[in-house]
Short mmCIF file of all heavy atoms in Angstrom, two decimals:
data_model
loop_
_atom_site.label_atom_id
_atom_site.label_comp_id
_atom_site.label_asym_id
_atom_site.label_seq_id
_atom_site.Cartn_x
_atom_site.Cartn_y
_atom_site.Cartn_z
N GLN A 1 99.65 140.66 149.44
CA GLN A 1 99.81 141.45 148.25
C GLN A 1 100.94 142.46 148.38
O GLN A 1 101.13 143.32 147.53
CB GLN A 1 98.55 142.20 147.93
CG GLN A 1 97.38 141.27 147.61
CD GLN A 1 96.09 142.03 147.44
OE1 GLN A 1 95.98 143.23 147.66
NE2 GLN A 1 95.05 141.33 147.00
N SER A 2 101.77 142.28 149.42
CA SER A 2 102.88 143.23 149.65
C SER A 2 104.07 142.86 148.79
O SER A 2 104.18 141.82 148.17
CB SER A 2 103.29 143.21 151.12
OG SER A 2 103.87 141.95 151.42
N PHE A 3 105.02 143.80 148.76
CA PHE A 3 106.26 143.58 147.97
C PHE A 3 107.06 142.42 148.46
O PHE A 3 107.57 141.60 147.66
CB PHE A 3 107.12 144.89 148.00
CG PHE A 3 108.37 144.73 147.23
CD1 PHE A 3 108.35 144.73 145.83
CD2 PHE A 3 109.58 144.64 147.86
CE1 PHE A 3 109.51 144.58 145.12
CE2 PHE A 3 110.78 144.54 147.15
CZ PHE A 3 110.73 144.50 145.78
N SER A 4 107.22 142.28 149.80
CA SER A 4 107.97 141.16 150.34
C SER A 4 107.32 139.84 150.02
O SER A 4 108.00 138.82 149.77
CB SER A 4 108.18 141.30 151.83
OG SER A 4 106.92 141.30 152.50
N SER A 5 106.01 139.82 149.99
CA SER A 5 105.31 138.59 149.65
C SER A 5 105.48 138.30 148.14
O SER A 5 105.56 137.09 147.75
CB SER A 5 103.82 138.73 149.93
OG SER A 5 103.18 137.49 149.82
N ASP A 6 105.56 139.30 147.29
CA ASP A 6 105.87 139.09 145.89
C ASP A 6 107.23 138.49 145.69
O ASP A 6 107.39 137.60 144.87
CB ASP A 6 105.73 140.40 145.12
CG ASP A 6 104.28 140.89 144.93
OD1 ASP A 6 103.41 140.05 145.05
OD2 ASP A 6 104.12 142.10 144.68
N ILE A 7 108.20 139.02 146.42
CA ILE A 7 109.55 138.47 146.34
C ILE A 7 109.58 137.01 146.79
O ILE A 7 110.17 136.10 146.14
CB ILE A 7 110.55 139.29 147.18
CG1 ILE A 7 110.62 140.67 146.65
CG2 ILE A 7 111.91 138.64 147.23
CD1 ILE A 7 111.18 140.81 145.25
N SER A 8 108.91 136.72 147.91
CA SER A 8 108.82 135.34 148.40
C SER A 8 108.12 134.40 147.38
O SER A 8 108.54 133.28 147.19
CB SER A 8 108.09 135.31 149.73
OG SER A 8 107.91 133.97 150.18
N ARG A 9 107.06 134.93 146.79
CA ARG A 9 106.32 134.14 145.79
C ARG A 9 107.14 133.89 144.58
O ARG A 9 107.07 132.80 143.95
CB ARG A 9 105.00 134.91 145.43
CG ARG A 9 104.02 134.04 144.72
CD ARG A 9 102.74 134.80 144.40
NE ARG A 9 102.01 135.20 145.61
CZ ARG A 9 101.86 136.47 145.97
NH1 ARG A 9 102.32 137.44 145.21
NH2 ARG A 9 101.21 136.76 147.07
N PHE A 10 108.05 134.82 144.21
CA PHE A 10 108.93 134.61 143.06
C PHE A 10 109.90 133.46 143.26
O PHE A 10 110.12 132.63 142.40
CB PHE A 10 109.69 135.91 142.76
CG PHE A 10 110.65 135.78 141.60
CD1 PHE A 10 110.17 135.82 140.29
CD2 PHE A 10 111.98 135.67 141.84
CE1 PHE A 10 111.06 135.70 139.23
CE2 PHE A 10 112.89 135.60 140.79
CZ PHE A 10 112.43 135.59 139.50
N PHE A 11 110.46 133.39 144.50
CA PHE A 11 111.47 132.34 144.74
C PHE A 11 110.89 131.03 145.28
O PHE A 11 111.41 129.98 144.92
CB PHE A 11 112.47 132.88 145.79
CG PHE A 11 113.40 133.90 145.23
CD1 PHE A 11 113.31 135.25 145.60
CD2 PHE A 11 114.35 133.56 144.27
CE1 PHE A 11 114.17 136.22 145.08
CE2 PHE A 11 115.21 134.53 143.74
CZ PHE A 11 115.13 135.83 144.14
N THR A 12 109.84 131.09 146.04
CA THR A 12 109.27 129.88 146.69
C THR A 12 107.93 129.43 146.06
O THR A 12 107.55 128.27 146.26
CB THR A 12 109.10 130.03 148.14
OG1 THR A 12 108.10 131.02 148.38
CG2 THR A 12 110.39 130.43 148.85
N GLY A 13 107.28 130.30 145.41
CA GLY A 13 105.97 129.95 144.85
C GLY A 13 104.82 130.21 145.81
O GLY A 13 103.67 129.93 145.46
N SER A 14 105.07 130.62 146.96
CA SER A 14 104.04 130.96 147.96
C SER A 14 104.30 132.28 148.66
O SER A 14 105.47 132.70 148.75
CB SER A 14 103.93 129.81 148.98
OG SER A 14 105.10 129.74 149.76
N PRO A 15 103.28 132.93 149.22
CA PRO A 15 103.47 134.19 149.91
C PRO A 15 104.26 133.94 151.25
O PRO A 15 104.52 132.80 151.61
CB PRO A 15 102.10 134.72 150.18
CG PRO A 15 101.16 133.58 149.91
CD PRO A 15 101.91 132.58 149.10
N THR A 16 104.54 134.99 151.97
CA THR A 16 105.32 134.87 153.21
C THR A 16 104.48 134.10 154.25
O THR A 16 103.28 133.99 154.19
CB THR A 16 105.66 136.25 153.76
OG1 THR A 16 104.41 136.99 154.02
CG2 THR A 16 106.54 137.03 152.83
N ASP A 17 105.23 133.54 155.20
CA ASP A 17 104.59 132.80 156.31
C ASP A 17 103.65 133.68 157.10
O ASP A 17 102.62 133.23 157.56
CB ASP A 17 105.64 132.21 157.20
CG ASP A 17 106.42 131.06 156.56
OD1 ASP A 17 105.91 130.48 155.52
OD2 ASP A 17 107.46 130.70 157.10
N LYS A 18 104.06 134.92 157.30
CA LYS A 18 103.24 135.87 158.07
C LYS A 18 101.87 136.02 157.42
O LYS A 18 100.82 135.98 158.10
CB LYS A 18 103.91 137.25 158.18
CG LYS A 18 103.12 138.27 158.90
CD LYS A 18 103.89 139.59 158.90
CE LYS A 18 103.04 140.70 159.48
NZ LYS A 18 103.68 142.00 159.44
N ALA A 19 101.85 136.17 156.11
CA ALA A 19 100.56 136.32 155.40
C ALA A 19 99.71 135.07 155.56
O ALA A 19 98.51 135.16 155.78
CB ALA A 19 100.82 136.66 153.97
N ILE A 20 100.34 133.93 155.39
CA ILE A 20 99.57 132.67 155.46
C ILE A 20 98.99 132.47 156.89
O ILE A 20 97.84 132.14 157.04
CB ILE A 20 100.45 131.47 155.08
CG1 ILE A 20 100.80 131.58 153.58
CG2 ILE A 20 99.83 130.19 155.39
CD1 ILE A 20 101.85 130.61 153.08
N TRP A 21 99.83 132.73 157.92
CA TRP A 21 99.35 132.54 159.28
C TRP A 21 98.23 133.55 159.66
O TRP A 21 97.31 133.21 160.41
CB TRP A 21 100.48 132.59 160.28
CG TRP A 21 101.28 131.34 160.30
CD1 TRP A 21 102.54 131.13 159.87
CD2 TRP A 21 100.77 130.04 160.76
NE1 TRP A 21 102.88 129.83 160.04
CE2 TRP A 21 101.82 129.14 160.58
CE3 TRP A 21 99.60 129.62 161.26
CZ2 TRP A 21 101.70 127.79 160.92
CZ3 TRP A 21 99.47 128.27 161.60
CH2 TRP A 21 100.53 127.39 161.43
N MET A 22 98.33 134.73 159.12
CA MET A 22 97.27 135.73 159.38
C MET A 22 95.97 135.30 158.74
O MET A 22 94.92 135.42 159.33
CB MET A 22 97.69 137.13 158.89
CG MET A 22 98.75 137.72 159.80
SD MET A 22 99.27 139.34 159.23
CE MET A 22 98.03 140.32 159.99
N LEU A 23 96.03 134.76 157.52
CA LEU A 23 94.81 134.26 156.89
C LEU A 23 94.23 133.05 157.58
O LEU A 23 93.02 133.00 157.80
CB LEU A 23 95.12 133.94 155.43
CG LEU A 23 95.41 135.14 154.52
CD1 LEU A 23 95.94 134.68 153.16
CD2 LEU A 23 94.13 135.96 154.30
N VAL A 24 95.12 132.14 157.97
CA VAL A 24 94.62 130.95 158.66
C VAL A 24 94.02 131.26 160.02
O VAL A 24 92.95 130.80 160.39
CB VAL A 24 95.72 129.88 158.76
CG1 VAL A 24 95.36 128.74 159.66
CG2 VAL A 24 96.12 129.38 157.36
N GLY A 25 94.74 132.09 160.75
CA GLY A 25 94.26 132.51 162.09
C GLY A 25 92.98 133.32 161.99
O GLY A 25 92.08 133.13 162.83
N GLY A 26 92.86 134.19 161.01
CA GLY A 26 91.66 134.96 160.84
C GLY A 26 90.48 134.08 160.46
O GLY A 26 89.33 134.28 160.97
N ALA A 27 90.70 133.13 159.63
CA ALA A 27 89.62 132.21 159.23
C ALA A 27 89.18 131.37 160.47
O ALA A 27 87.97 131.18 160.67
CB ALA A 27 90.09 131.29 158.11
N ALA A 28 90.14 130.90 161.25
CA ALA A 28 89.80 130.08 162.42
C ALA A 28 89.00 130.89 163.44
O ALA A 28 88.01 130.46 163.97
CB ALA A 28 91.07 129.53 163.03
#
């Protein structure tokens, strides 16, 4: 939900890699 993730989502359609890896690692 950060600003950098919003910018990444605007251009690529997905949040930053850091956010995704933190979610995946946390779930695992």
